[in-house]
Amino acid sequence: MASYHMEVPFVIWAKYMGLFGVGSVIMRGAGCIINDMWDRKLDRAVGASSLSLVVVYPFMKRVTYWPQAVLGLVFNWGALLGWSAIAGQTAWSVCLPLYIGSFCWTLVYDTIYAHQDKVDDALVGIRSTALLFGTHTQFILSSISASSLTLIAFAGYLNAQTWPFFVGVGAAAWKLAGILVRTDFQSRASCWKGFVGCGWAGAWIFAGAAVDYGLLTVEMNWPALLA
């Protein structure tokens, strides 16, 4: 969205997509490894210098029913960093609703994921929004999903995005609605399918933003595009 706003050349967009793509993989990989270390009671191996929200997330599962909120704060930091990397500063009017909307999306998909292990988690004292929401999960996640997509669409509106972006948001809304209607939160297989489906919902939003940016680039002259 920052590339669209700043009308940056394609090579700059591709460069930062690559950098943030690698960073995203590393962040998620680190989170999974650290989570496994906590679960295996190897937390002593984690030095104090490594303490961050990524490290704290597995610990939060022992003290609060909202570890998914911590995950949302961590995993969506790119919504702020990406804009500042492209523009040199953060446009809070756009980035804040985008960040909060993405945060809400994380609550949705990670709550669905947590439902897979809720029985075992309850036995060993691990907490999650899956246990907190219980039988009200479908209604609560539907409300959070609506908030997420509304905020992301609002960010797009403030960023002067055009129709491809909003088509992507609409497709994501359709996908999420189907997931929340069909997911059996008592079935691990169904929850896994719903979790994976949330990724495809996010892909629709990305695709809409990418097409929107692509249409913008064709209006730019080729020397500027390849600069």
Side-chain angles (χ1 to χ4, degrees), residues 175-192:
K175 181 67 176 178
L176 282 175
I179 290 169
L180 293 173
V181 168
R182 292 190 298 268
T183 299
D184 177 1
F185 293 101
Q186 307 306 317
S187 166
R188 287 191 175 188
S190 183
C191 288
W192 173 254

Side-chain angles (χ1 to χ4, degrees), residues 2 7 17 51 113 130-131 144 167 206:
E7 299 184 357
M17 281 300 301
L51 189 61
Y113 184 88
L131 291 171
I144 296 175
V167 168
F206 172 78

Side-chain angles (χ1 to χ4, degrees), residues 190-226:
S190 183
C191 288
W192 173 254
K193 185 177 180 180
F195 170 73
V196 173
C198 286
W200 286 108
W204 275 112
I205 297 175
F206 172 78
V211 170
D212 211 0
Y213 172 74
L215 292 177
L216 177 66
T217 61
V218 301
E219 299 176 1
M220 302 164 64
N221 58 62
W222 287 106
L225 182 64
L226 300 175

Side-chain angles (χ1 to χ4, degrees), residues 56-217:
V56 169
Y57 165 67
F59 171 72
M60 297 303 290
K61 295 192 296 184
R62 276 79 176 172
V63 298
T64 178
Y65 283 102
W66 291 94
Q68 283 69 31
V70 177
L71 191 72
L73 292 174
V74 175
F75 277 7
N76 297 294
W77 203 245
L80 306 179
L81 294 181
W83 192 287
S84 61
I86 293 290
Q89 59 183 0
T90 301
W92 290 105
S93 61
V94 176
C95 291
L96 192 58
L98 178 63
Y99 179 70
I100 298 174
S102 301
F103 167 84
C104 290
W105 178 54
T106 301
L107 284 181
V108 172
Y109 71 70
D110 204 50
T111 297
I112 294 175
Y113 184 88
H115 266 280
Q116 297 177 102
D117 302 318
K118 62 185 177 183
V119 174
D120 294 334
D121 287 349
L123 291 175
V124 298
I126 292 178
R127 305 175 185 181
S128 69
T129 48
L131 291 171
L132 179 65
F133 297 163
T135 57
H136 303 292
T137 293
Q138 185 182 59
F139 172 76
I140 294 174
L141 292 190
S142 296
S143 300
I144 296 175
S145 295
S147 299
S148 172
L149 294 170
T150 298
L151 286 165
I152 292 173
F154 183 57
Y157 169 77
L158 293 176
N159 199 44
Q161 302 283 159
T162 58
W163 66 267
F165 178 84
F166 297 103
V167 168
V169 174
W174 179 263
K175 181 67 176 178
L176 282 175
I179 290 169
L180 293 173
V181 168
R182 292 190 298 268
T183 299
D184 177 1
F185 293 101
Q186 307 306 317
S187 166
R188 287 191 175 188
S190 183
C191 288
W192 173 254
K193 185 177 180 180
F195 170 73
V196 173
C198 286
W200 286 108
W204 275 112
I205 297 175
F206 172 78
V211 170
D212 211 0
Y213 172 74
L215 292 177
L216 177 66
T217 61

